[in-house]
Amino acid sequence: MSNTTSEIGEFDAEATSPEQKTRSRAAQFVFWGLLLAFLAAAPFFLYPVFVMQLLCFALFAAAFNLLIGFTGLLSFGHAAFFGGAAYIAGHVLKVWGFPPILGIVSGMLFAAALGWVVGALAIRRQGIYFAMITLALAQIVYFFALQMPFTGGEDGLQGIPRGHLLGIFDLNDPFAMYYFVAAIFLVGFLAIYRIIHSPFGQVLQAIRENEPRALSLGYNVDRFKLLAFVLSAALAGLAGSTKAMVFQFASLTDAHWQMSGEVILMTLLGGMGTIFGPVVGAFIVVTLQHVLSGIGSWVQVVIGATFIACVLLFRRGIVGEIARLLRISSL
């Protein structure tokens, strides 16, 4: 096993020198510091609900990046996990009276189970066929969300209670809810960070770079891809469940194919295959949607133009280009 693990390291396209590793650690330390400082101070100078929306979509984009950026699998159906978890979490919180943490965990577990079903079917194909299967199955989930009685149909699932955290903290208080969401974001993002830097994450990157060679080294490629898909779906479900609690509402928009397109946009804009890129991309897209909401549907034109400009000027995404300029291997 040690021999194959060492050979997996050869998949790294750029051999990193000690100096590059030092610069990479320093840059990551700076990004972590900025992120933690923002999380601590944000509710004092920004609208807390807006920042919570940022964090939910940042976690969603980071979860999607785990699949496309580090495994090389493009899913057009991740809105199914995001929206499906929102509905399940909202239902168990509103109808069954679950406490907040159990409600969010219920949505996350549903997304993981759905991810296993979708992934088991989709990984039988590759490339555009894989993407189309995920889109088709996601549209089935959207149809169920439209037709099932408990979802509220076109009206959505409204009046989702936030409840009390551990029976003590009233999550109807904006600051208490904000720090609860910030903690969820940090736990999810740290989990993704740990997965990326684990031996399991190295195998995923090996599959992304050269799947036949990873297969020749004795790795069960399909099993690794399925597990990556389930983890990505579960973390997307965590983001969707949290968003449902923040807005106390789950709607068809959360499960629509356009939501899958938005998370792809966030990931590519920030930097696919980077650690912090999806977070930056989500912050940019959600901020533009918020600031330009007054111009109606034209906001999509502005976001599209921004995306085109970034693709032309920053082919690796914003964070990817920063890493290239600093000559570091990862950021």
Side-chain angles (χ1 to χ4, degrees):
M1 184 67 177
S2 60
N3 291 335
T4 55
T5 303
S6 63
E7 289 186 55
I8 284 294
E10 297 176 10
F11 282 101
D12 189 3
E14 298 179 5
T16 55
S17 65
E19 182 182 355
Q20 286 178 313
K21 290 181 179 179
T22 302
R23 286 202 302 266
S24 180
R25 291 193 189 99
Q28 289 187 25
F29 180 80
V30 170
F31 264 78
W32 274 112
L34 291 173
L35 179 61
L36 293 174
F38 174 81
L39 292 177
F44 297 102
F45 61 89
L46 292 173
Y47 185 45
V49 175
F50 168 66
V51 184
M52 285 188 274
Q53 183 184 10
L54 286 176
L55 296 179
C56 291
F57 279 103
L59 180 57
F60 184 26
F64 177 75
N65 184 54
L66 177 64
L67 188 66
I68 186 175
F70 292 94
T71 315
L73 298 176
L74 172 59
S75 168
F76 282 158
H78 251 51
F81 314 120
F82 184 79
Y87 277 113
I88 295 300
H91 180 75
V92 300
L93 287 168
K94 181 180 179 179
V95 180
W96 295 355
F98 277 31
I101 293 179
L102 288 182
I104 289 176
V105 170
S106 298
M108 185 177 176
L109 291 176
F110 170 80
L114 182 62
W116 184 84
V117 174
V118 174
L121 294 171
I123 63 171
R124 299 170 185 269
R125 295 294 181 264
Q126 295 181 341
I128 191 63
Y129 301 103
F130 172 89
M132 288 298 102
I133 290 173
T134 60
L135 176 60
L137 294 173
Q139 287 301 101
I140 294 175
V141 174
Y142 175 82
F143 175 79
F144 276 108
L146 179 62
Q147 298 295 328
M148 294 296 287
F150 79 91
T151 63
E154 294 182 354
D155 295 327
L157 184 60
Q158 304 178 28
I160 299 172
R162 291 180 177 177
H164 288 71
L165 180 62
L166 304 177
I168 302 174
F169 303 102
D170 184 5
L171 295 182
N172 291 301
D173 176 66
F175 282 91
M177 185 63 191
Y178 167 78
Y179 285 109
F180 177 58
V181 173
I184 291 174
F185 167 77
L186 275 178
V187 169
F189 191 64
L190 283 170
I192 293 170
Y193 184 87
R194 181 68 188 97
I195 290 170
I196 292 170
H197 291 87
S198 68
F200 172 75
Q202 290 183 348
V203 175
L204 294 183
Q205 293 174 64
I207 294 171
R208 177 196 64 190
E209 296 298 331
N210 195 328
E211 183 175 331
R213 187 176 176 190
L215 188 63
S216 70
L217 291 174
Y219 289 97
N220 188 332
V221 169
D222 285 346
R223 186 180 67 181
F224 277 95
K225 290 197 293 186
L226 179 57
L227 184 54
F229 198 98
V230 171
L231 289 171
S232 179
L235 290 163
L238 176 62
S241 301
T242 306
K243 179 180 176 291
M245 273 193 62
V246 169
F247 291 96
Q248 299 181 279
F249 181 66
S251 70
L252 290 174
T253 304
D254 298 329
H256 196 261
W257 64 264
Q258 187 174 348
M259 184 64 72
S260 297
E262 285 187 11
V263 76
I264 294 173
L265 173 63
M266 294 172 188
T267 305
L268 295 178
L269 186 60
M272 183 179 71
T274 63
I275 300 169
F276 298 95
V279 176
V280 173
F283 276 31
I284 293 173
V285 172
V286 175
T287 301
L288 285 175
Q289 290 175 340
H290 179 75
V291 173
L292 303 175
S293 59
I295 64 175
S297 59
W298 283 94
V299 67
Q300 299 300 329
V301 177
V302 176
I303 292 175
T306 304
F307 175 68
I308 292 172
C310 287
V311 167
L312 295 175
L313 299 175
F314 312 106
R315 297 183 62 185
R316 297 175 178 84
I318 295 172
V319 174
E321 287 296 327
I322 292 174
R324 184 186 66 84
L325 293 174
L326 295 177
R327 296 182 179 180
I328 58 179
S329 58
S330 64
L331 187 57

